[in-house]
Amino acid sequence: MLIRLAENYTSTLFCNAYRTMAAEATAHVQEFFTDVGLFLFGADVSTEEFVNRFFDTLFPVVYNHVINPGPTDISLEYAECLRVARRDIRPFGNIPRKAIGEMGRSLLPSRTFLQALNLGIEVINTTDHLHFSRDCSRALLRMQYCPHCQGLMLSKPCMGYCLNTLRGCLAGLAEVDLHWRGYIQSLEELSGALSGARGIEHVLLNFHSLVRDALGQAGINGPQVSQQVNKICGPPVRKPKQSPACSLDQNKDNHGLKMFSRDSEEALSSRRKALLGRLRPYRAFYGGLADQLCGNQLAAADGRPCWNGEDVVRSYTHRVVGSGIKAQSENPEVKVKGTDPVISQIIDKLKHIIQLLQGKSFPKYDRWDLQQAGSGGGDEQISGDCDDEDGCGESGSGEFKRVLKMTDPGMPDKKNLSDVKQIHQANDGSTLDTTGAGCTAMPDYMTFMLIGLVILFLSLW
């Protein structure tokens, strides 16, 4: 919606102030903002390239109607010569270079932010569908149901026993904790780069002002530009006039645009802050999950008789191990053989996106550059020494993933940015289009609130 509104502002500028060339110019405006959308959603395009292309294609139109107007239009061949020569002639002064800098600084952080949100969804979905190892399943069975065989239907596990069992079962998830904390912290830090004068809202909604300044610069430099054009392309070659008048429908898409005025620049920033505010309490979610489960519902209260895996006792006497894979070597309840390869892959992806969020891969434009950011998916080397007997080899199989995916062939249709869709991928490889559908109903568990928040933010974006 932000892109559409910025496009509307820029097209309106031509219709109000340069009606004779508005129809030609608005076609180039539409192409420019289509490129903006393609870049934001991950297409392999360069901000420098599409900003330069916009001013290249705009120059023949401006020359024909502002710098050297005539009763007839310039020929297509002459227009092509002007397009190619624009960067040497520099009719718009330093405005194109300024636009390249502003777009590079604002669009790349926003693109990375969207990319990071999608990875967050992937982490939550993937960890939700991990399978327990055999040792873990047996330990859970012994903890929860073996007392029933002795008629101890109401007894609960001792706190230490519960912690050892669940910390062993969730040791892989605990390894995600450090990187999940870094992920949320990096999201918060990047959020500052998305607001203010360098933020995407401000830059896109004020792009029409840059275009207005560029047109004014071309008018001021008109005589010098004409001399340079004559040297490079020769005198104008003209054809019968075909330029139609302005036909921009001011009411087009007004239903949506009314909901997104300039006040929404602050509203979108507030939504980002609200999203991060809801994520912040879950920074330590993966590291503290075993403690939360035991403390909130599974284990007996301190001082109460409890089940220790063999009998009802006053207290659990074995050592309570810490969280994480390394700490499980001395776990008396669960045998943990190694990191699940799926967990290792998630950690690799989180490391990569944290680097992108922190701008470490982009040396120019302060912390942000025009280099293209990879998604961090698909090429990571799976590590860990977990074998099939543990059940790790099947971890994540048949999982239900929610991803932001481009329609064929990997990017939205050039004419319709609404082709960017949310796709549900089923076990058999088929896909279900759920554009605008939001989050599907899932088990009542705190992780799924995060999924809902991120999907909501993407739909608002």
Side-chain angles (χ1 to χ4, degrees):
M1 189 64 71
L2 174 66
I3 294 171
R4 290 169 58 199
L5 185 63
E7 178 185 337
N8 184 276
Y9 284 162
T10 309
S11 297
T12 300
L13 165 69
F14 285 100
C15 257
N16 289 344
Y18 300 92
R19 292 188 65 85
T20 58
M21 65 174 178
E24 294 176 82
T26 52
H28 302 311
V29 170
Q30 180 183 10
E31 182 179 2
F32 171 78
F33 282 103
T34 298
D35 286 333
V36 169
L38 289 169
F39 178 85
L40 283 173
F41 287 104
D44 187 17
V45 295
S46 161
T47 52
E48 183 172 9
E49 178 184 339
F50 66 71
V51 171
N52 271 326
R53 182 165 60 246
F54 170 72
F55 285 104
D56 289 346
T57 55
L58 185 62
F59 178 41
V61 181
V62 174
Y63 179 84
N64 190 39
H65 293 278
V66 177
I67 297 174
N68 194 2
T72 56
D73 288 334
I74 58 176
S75 67
L76 294 178
E77 294 78 7
Y78 197 79
E80 177 62 16
C81 180
L82 293 176
R83 187 191 68 79
V84 173
R86 195 275 305 174
R87 299 181 200 187
D88 294 325
I89 297 174
R90 299 182 63 207
F92 305 118
N94 291 323
I95 301 299
R97 178 54 53 187
K98 181 179 179 182
I100 290 171
E102 291 188 0
M103 289 292 168
R105 281 187 290 264
S106 67
L107 296 186
L108 186 54
S110 299
R111 166 185 168 129
T112 305
F113 193 82
L114 288 175
Q115 187 181 359
L117 293 182
N118 283 310
L119 179 59
I121 295 171
E122 181 182 349
V123 170
I124 293 167
N125 275 333
T126 304
T127 53
D128 182 61
H129 289 84
L130 292 174
H131 293 270
F132 291 128
S133 68
R134 287 183 185 177
D135 283 330
C136 171
S137 297
R138 289 167 181 163
L140 288 173
L141 176 66
R142 184 170 64 251
M143 183 181 81
Q144 287 290 91
Y145 297 107
C146 282
H148 296 182
C149 299
Q150 301 182 26
L152 306 172
M153 305 299 293
L154 300 179
S155 65
K156 288 187 173 184
C158 301
M159 177 61 74
Y161 176 45
C162 180
L163 288 174
N164 275 343
T165 302
L166 290 191
R167 285 176 179 175
C169 287
L170 301 176
L173 286 182
E175 295 296 313
V176 178
D177 181 65
L178 176 65
H179 309 286
W180 180 253
R181 288 171 184 262
Y183 166 76
I184 294 181
Q185 180 180 348
S186 298
L187 277 179
E188 291 178 314
E189 292 172 356
L190 179 58
S191 181
L194 300 177
S195 304
R198 292 187 175 185
I200 183 174
E201 300 96 330
H202 182 85
V203 170
L204 289 185
L205 293 179
N206 287 281
F207 180 72
H208 71 283
S209 298
L210 279 180
V211 175
R212 181 194 60 214
D213 293 343
L215 296 174
Q217 191 76 34
I220 294 173
N221 297 336
Q224 296 92 332
V225 170
S226 292
Q227 290 179 4
Q228 289 180 281
V229 167
N230 288 338
K231 289 179 181 179
I232 298 175
C233 300
V237 178
R238 297 187 175 274
K239 62 178 182 177
K241 203 169 190 69
Q242 296 179 345
S243 301
C246 174
S247 59
L248 178 66
D249 184 0
Q250 298 289 343
N251 294 318
K252 182 181 179 182
D253 293 331
N254 265 3
H255 175 71
L257 294 177
K258 285 177 182 177
M259 299 169 58
F260 200 99
S261 65
R262 281 188 175 275
D263 293 338
S264 296
E265 181 175 341
E266 177 60 31
L268 191 55
S269 177
S270 298
R271 286 168 180 166
R272 276 195 301 267
K273 292 177 182 177
L275 169 70
L276 294 173
R278 297 291 292 275
L279 283 174
R280 198 173 294 116
Y282 295 94
R283 266 185 188 168
F285 174 74
Y286 288 107
L289 185 55
D291 298 67
Q292 287 182 357
L293 291 172
C294 291
N296 291 342
Q297 51 185 309
L298 293 180
D302 289 339
R304 299 292 300 274
C306 57
W307 172 255
N308 69 351
E310 297 177 356
D311 201 355
V312 175
V313 295
R314 282 290 177 184
S315 63
Y316 182 70
T317 57
H318 291 295
R319 175 185 175 184
V320 178
V321 300
S323 299
I325 295 293
K326 292 182 179 180
Q328 304 315 307
S329 61
E330 299 182 7
N331 192 323
E333 309 299 342
V334 184
K335 183 179 180 181
V336 180
K337 293 185 178 180
T339 305
D340 188 328
V342 176
I343 293 293
S344 299
Q345 190 176 37
I346 286 175
I347 290 173
D348 288 342
K349 290 184 178 184
L350 283 171
K351 287 178 179 178
H352 178 71
I353 201 66
I354 288 170
Q355 282 193 324
L356 295 183
L357 288 169
Q358 294 175 349
K360 291 181 179 179
S361 299
F362 308 97
K364 296 191 296 183
Y365 288 106
D366 295 332
R367 288 168 54 196
W368 295 100
D369 189 15
L370 296 173
Q371 299 175 35
Q372 305 309 310
S375 66
D379 296 329
E380 288 79 10
Q381 296 297 317
I382 296 178
S383 60
D385 53 359
C386 188
D387 56 33
D388 291 340
E389 186 178 354
D390 298 315
C392 302
E394 298 176 357
S395 294
S397 62
E399 69 190 51
F400 188 71
K401 292 184 179 180
R402 183 178 289 106
V403 297
L404 188 68
K405 185 175 182 180
M406 301 302 169
T407 55
D408 182 60
M411 61 181 66
D413 188 282
K414 285 283 283 184
K415 298 297 182 183
N416 187 3
L417 283 177
S418 65
D419 284 344
V420 178
K421 300 180 179 182
Q422 293 175 20
I423 302 294
H424 283 170
Q425 186 171 348
N427 293 341
D428 60 359
S430 61
T431 56
L432 175 64
D433 180 7
T434 58
T435 304
C439 189
T440 57
M442 303 182 78
D444 184 20
Y445 202 63
M446 62 183 68
T447 51
F448 306 112
M449 187 184 75
L450 301 181
I451 297 175
L453 287 170
V454 176
I455 291 297
L456 175 62
F457 184 85
L458 288 173
S459 66
L460 292 173
W461 187 278

